[in-house]
């Protein structure tokens, strides 16, 4: 490769690697922050599901106790009537009928509460699973951040240290175009494929193509400004 082009490629590899590491660093931190938030939300949802389930269970117990007491009343009143021990037969009959109606209502209510409890149990179970998954994800993200960030920072430091020499190695006339490409957030290099830029497809004049393929001169694409790498491998 032409030594001037090689200098461009080396500097490009350095800054490109640093860009990727910076992006990974940001993603790493954002991901951890996101999973921690998710875990907190899942914990809140789980707590709400448990409170709801407790509420239904408490209500169910209350209704069952009431049902139990009315069933006993039905049975006692019936025995009094059957054994002729009721002080007022007509009143006892009336009481029996009203107690039976209440028992019916309470049985219906108890059945509805059992269904509600089943639903609440399912919701609580799903909330528990969601919380477990969120906790796992958050733990993994925390570990990843803890392990990865120091490694990223070390590599970034190395790249920063190496960069001035690479910038120095760049021919003066190539510094401007390189800076422009960087400022536009573009890749600095493209490959020549059948005489055309691999990124923007602009076909370079044959003279330019020959010089690039022959490694005699460095050219940038006249359309996108990228430094053009020869498409054919160098002759040994
Ligand atoms: Zn181009």
């Amino acid at each position: 490769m032409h030594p001037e082009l090689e200098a461009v490629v080396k500097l490009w590899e350095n800054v490109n690697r640093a860009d990727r590491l910076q992006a990974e660093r940001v993603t790493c931190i954002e991901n951890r922050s996101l999973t921690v938030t998710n875990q907190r939300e899942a914990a809140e949802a789980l707590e709400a599901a448990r409170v709801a389930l407790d509420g239904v269970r408490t209500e169910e117990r209350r209704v069952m106790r009431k049902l139990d007491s009315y069933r006993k009343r039905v049975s006692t009143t019936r025995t009094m009537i059957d054994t002729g021990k009721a002080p007022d037969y007509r009143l006892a009959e009336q009481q029996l009928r009203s107690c039976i109606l209440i028992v019916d209502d309470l049985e219906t209510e108890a059945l509805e509460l059992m269904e509600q409890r089943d639903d609440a149990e399912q919701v609580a179970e799903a909330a528990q699973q969601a919380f477990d998954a969120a906790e796992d994800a958050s733990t993994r993200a925390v570990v990843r951040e803890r392990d990865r960030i120091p490694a990223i920072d070390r590599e970034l430091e190395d790249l920063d240290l190496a960069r001035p020499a690479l910038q120095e190695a760049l021919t003066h006339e190539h510094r401007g175009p390189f800076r422009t490409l960087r400022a536009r957030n573009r890749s600095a290099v493209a490959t020549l494929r059948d005489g055309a830029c691999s990124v923007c497809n602009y076909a370079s004049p044959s003279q330019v193509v020959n010089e690039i393929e022959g490694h005699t001169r460095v050219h940038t694409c006249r359309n996108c400004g990228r430094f053009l790498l020869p498409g054919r491998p160098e002759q040994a």
Side-chain angles (χ1 to χ4, degrees), residues 30-99:
E30 279 177 356
N31 191 36
R32 187 260 308 144
S33 161
L34 184 73
T35 57
V36 168
T37 305
N38 284 347
Q39 187 190 354
R40 196 177 55 236
E41 284 171 4
E44 284 166 9
L46 178 57
E47 180 57 23
R50 281 176 177 164
V51 167
L53 178 57
D54 277 352
V56 176
R57 279 177 175 159
T58 304
E59 182 62 7
E60 194 185 358
R61 276 196 298 274
R62 188 189 67 79
V63 168
M64 290 311 284
R65 273 198 304 273
K66 204 170 162 188
L67 180 59
D68 224 35
S69 112
Y70 272 94
R71 274 176 179 152
K72 273 180 196 138
R73 245 188 257 187
V74 166
S75 148
T76 318
T77 313
R78 191 169 272 147
T79 310
M80 275 165 64
I81 292 167
D82 289 351
T83 54
K85 282 179 186 162
D88 185 330
Y89 179 79
R90 221 207 261 274
L91 196 69
E93 278 277 295
Q94 242 175 43
Q95 197 186 323
L96 179 63
R97 274 197 302 276
S98 86
C99 283

Side-chain angles (χ1 to χ4, degrees), residues 190 197-202 221-226 228:
C197 170
S198 61
V199 174
C200 76
N201 229 15
Y202 176 84
C221 171
R222 287 183 194 179
N223 182 49
C224 71
R226 289 178 173 85
L228 291 167

Side-chain angles (χ1 to χ4, degrees), residues 173-186:
E173 59 163 318
H174 295 153
R175 287 179 194 178
F178 191 92
R179 260 201 310 275
T180 308
L181 287 162
R182 284 286 293 157
R184 288 180 185 164
N185 230 351
R186 287 179 172 176

